[in-house]
Amino acid sequence: MSSKHAWKSPPSKAGEKFLGIRVLALLALAFWAVSYILWNNHNLPVVPLRQTTLSPYLVEELRQKCSAIRMEAGPPESFNKRSESDRYVPGTPAVLLRNATLWTGGGDDQEILYQTDLLLDRGIIVSVGNDSYNHPSIRKGRQRLQVLDLDGAWVTPGIVDMHSHIGDDPSPSLRGAEDENSVKGPILPWLRSLDGLNTHDDSFELSISGGVTTSLVLPGSANAIGGQGFVIKLRSTAEKTPSSKLLEPPFSLNGSVYQDGERTRWRHIKQACGENPGRVYGGSRMDTYWAFREAYDKAMQVKKEQDEFCAMFGSNQLHGLTSRFPESLQWESLVDVLRGRVKVHTHCYEAVDLDALIRISNEFKFPLAAFHHAHEAYLVPDLLKKAWGQPPALALFATNSRYKREAYRGSEFAAKILSENGLKVTMKSDHPVLDSRYLLYEAQQAHYYGLKDHLAIASVITTPAQVLGLDHRLGYLRTGYDADVVVWDSHPLALGATPRQVFIDGIAQLKNQALSSKPPSFQKPPRVPNFDKEAQETIEYDGLPPLKYRKIDSVLFTNVAHVFAFSGKTIVDRLLEYGSTLGQVLVTNGSITCAQAVCMTGVPIGIEVVDLEGGSINPGLLAYGPDIGLEEISAESSTNDGVVLDPLKDRIPSILGGEGSLIRAADGIQFGGRDLLLASRAGVTRAVTAPSHSGFWGGLSVYFSVSAVHRLEAGAIIQDAAAVHVAIRHGARKPSVSTQVTALRNLLLGHADGLAGEYFKRVALGKVTLVVEVHDLNIIGTLLTLKAEIEEQTQIKIKMTISGASEAHLLAEELSRAEVSVILNPSRPFPTIWEKRQILPGPPLTHQSAILKLLERNVTVGIGVEELWSARNIRFDAGWAAIEAGGKISKEQAFSIASLNLEKALGVSPVADFVATRGGDLLEMNSKVVASILQRRSTVELHFATDES
């Protein structure tokens, strides 16, 4: 015992016990006094302790729970008075963006502010205006202020992706990290996407480089109720954990019920209706909707028990109450749905399913935050307004449709039509279905097809923030909002718009940015065409307008700005040769017979005149990719040609020629498909496709006209046997890569019979092109070695093309020396799987794109499409390639990678098709295709919706 306390006698055990009792009594009294104050503040009476045998601690817990169930969701009223973000990282420097053009999200005359400053500090926007430099928050700390003069550059809030599986379905995809769906039952509201979030997903950096700062990570769509979604910021954190990425997670996540006694936070849940749950669990729509109703009925029972319990508790009727508050960990999220505290996101396509969910929302009285995908929503806008509480928002793709039956009536005009009916429209990625790095491109396409410019930008920024219940901190450039800001190199709706810098929580995300120069015209929004007539036709025909065209023999195109014509192996702007600003082009029987300042002063009878209003005559584009012309609805086998047998894993019947069989795609071609006709309206005149295959063995591709009605029509089949196709890929159900390479070697050495033997002999003799689908760097290297080996034996050059080619840029020099062509598919790479992981992403992450690097090494480069629906977007893919190259790829070269270069790479004869566009050239977002000029079919096809006659 120290001398300091030597005078004190040690207390007796009885004294210790008495003292402890007194302390406990005082603590209980103090606790009860605090409880009394808190309870009165929540408008519930204090229950005298003598009325019940429940302990005061338990009574207080029950009071809190009864108070909590009455709380509404939303931010505290004082939220935007904050001086620091809850996600602020100490040491982050303040940033002053000077002389910016701000898109504020305001939706009024203050929506765009020119030559304005924006100050970011402590994770929030602290000032908007030209006095920001003198803001009190930085007067004493200017030494840590970073000043960036933007010289008028566009600045927006960060992009918000309202439907993503980033982290849960990570890239590259590996079995050990597939956490998007559970198939343990159709009703799983207790699951949480957070529990599968992989922070090592390569997509985080890529998506940030596209301006995405926030994502709602949802469970997949296998289940009627798939679980709870969570909003995350995409930036990396020091903790490197999923939890550290969360934005306003539910208080219950860390064991607390509420904070500050004000409001609870919004939660999110994922539902799905229609084909997905039925396919996964073998049920019908009736089974799915009963599962919904049964689940919500169970939640309703729990809610009723809670309400009755708290009613008795609040009226001092404690006798007879159990000590346990009625709750269920399994069903609590659905109880919160019924209390209106959960944003309900529902994967739903067709009117039949939209109607069913709206009935359920009214039956159980809960609001629907959004229908996702919603391909038929534009056909039933009045139905959507009947949902309980308020109409749901619609989270859409721009042009991704027809991949399954319930998406068949999807329309590019959906966003325009829905917005004109007063409904909220957001564009979403469904990452990695679409790469969320290019979510802004979805908004650009929606704008192109008629969505107003401010609504298009808002559809990926402000509107999703509103729908998520986060518009108190996201979606606007306002004081007090999160410092999630994107500085763009062009107007956000200009094709190829790319971030110069991205700030998340005030932290700059892009290091050593690779920027490309763009002309001043890109600082203005594109002057998009008018599609009112097409949109009206789409509604009149219940989503399936006829997509007709009218054939004519002779047309005089007037007010033509450019004629991009074929000249040998290149494309030139021929009208410029005549020194005319605007000229005329005369077409007779599908051939251009005159292109100069004036072709005719008078117009003879029988010649139609079409004013292009400064438009162009452009090369017709060639679509190359899997299943083009071989399927109508991908998920419906009855509409498709089907998959060929593979001799490396299947037994080939002798009737097919045994192992010497070689299937011709021409035998299964399907003309008149909607995606083909839509591609025709977007400047695609012809296509090459190989037989559908899932393994090594492909077959003979076919070269055909996309607008032909049937194969017997003159010019429908351009070349019935084009190239020989194989694929060498990794995969659990595929033979080893070395086995596949050995098979190819033996085929080239003549070890095959039948038609296969004949065609591979022609490949070895350099008479037919061999197209190999491959992405992996090492396999490409092996193929180059194999090519050299065979050529050394035969002394004949093999015509080889690498398709897919995600990692081909790493062997650009070697491919050039070997004279191997490359078809990049997709044109903007994404590391979907392991063998695609070493991509060259292009600006702002790398100075070169894969297209530019290969072209600069003199490799013949073409671009392909991964899915049939995207063939209509080849024009923009080619234009994008030129834009991001910063002038190093000319417009003529851009046309070539989608026409001449593809013809060479695929070993098909050049075809001099042209396309007429009004308002600009084919690669621009201000032009509209009005006609196809088909020399080989001796005709011009005028599209009905744009016919001026």
Side-chain angles (χ1 to χ4, degrees), residues 503-564:
F503 296 91
I504 302 180
D505 301 322
I507 303 171
Q509 299 297 303
L510 302 180
K511 314 299 181 187
N512 304 314
Q513 304 96 300
L515 306 177
S516 59
S517 61
K518 295 183 178 177
S521 61
F522 277 73
Q523 299 306 319
K524 298 178 181 179
R527 182 173 50 84
V528 296
N530 184 296
F531 285 100
D532 289 348
K533 183 176 180 181
E534 289 88 341
Q536 187 58 39
E537 282 183 352
T538 300
I539 296 172
E540 290 174 1
Y541 284 92
D542 202 24
L544 300 176
L547 302 178
K548 295 180 180 179
Y549 52 82
R550 181 162 58 88
K551 291 185 178 182
I552 55 176
D553 295 329
S554 300
V555 186
L556 178 66
F557 295 103
T558 62
N559 291 313
V560 182
H562 300 277
V563 177
F564 296 99

Side-chain angles (χ1 to χ4, degrees), residues 554-559 583-588 593-609:
S554 300
V555 186
L556 178 66
F557 295 103
T558 62
N559 291 313
Q584 296 181 347
V585 173
L586 178 64
V587 177
T588 306
T593 56
C594 174
Q596 55 190 32
V598 178
C599 290
M600 286 186 170
T601 54
V603 182
I605 296 175
I607 296 181
E608 286 204 46
V609 178

Side-chain angles (χ1 to χ4, degrees), residues 391-412:
L394 293 312
L396 309 175
F397 292 132
T399 55
N400 187 357
S401 298
R402 290 168 294 284
Y403 44 86
K404 55 181 176 177
R405 192 196 68 85
E406 61 188 5
Y408 192 63
R409 294 174 191 265
S411 172
E412 62 272 34

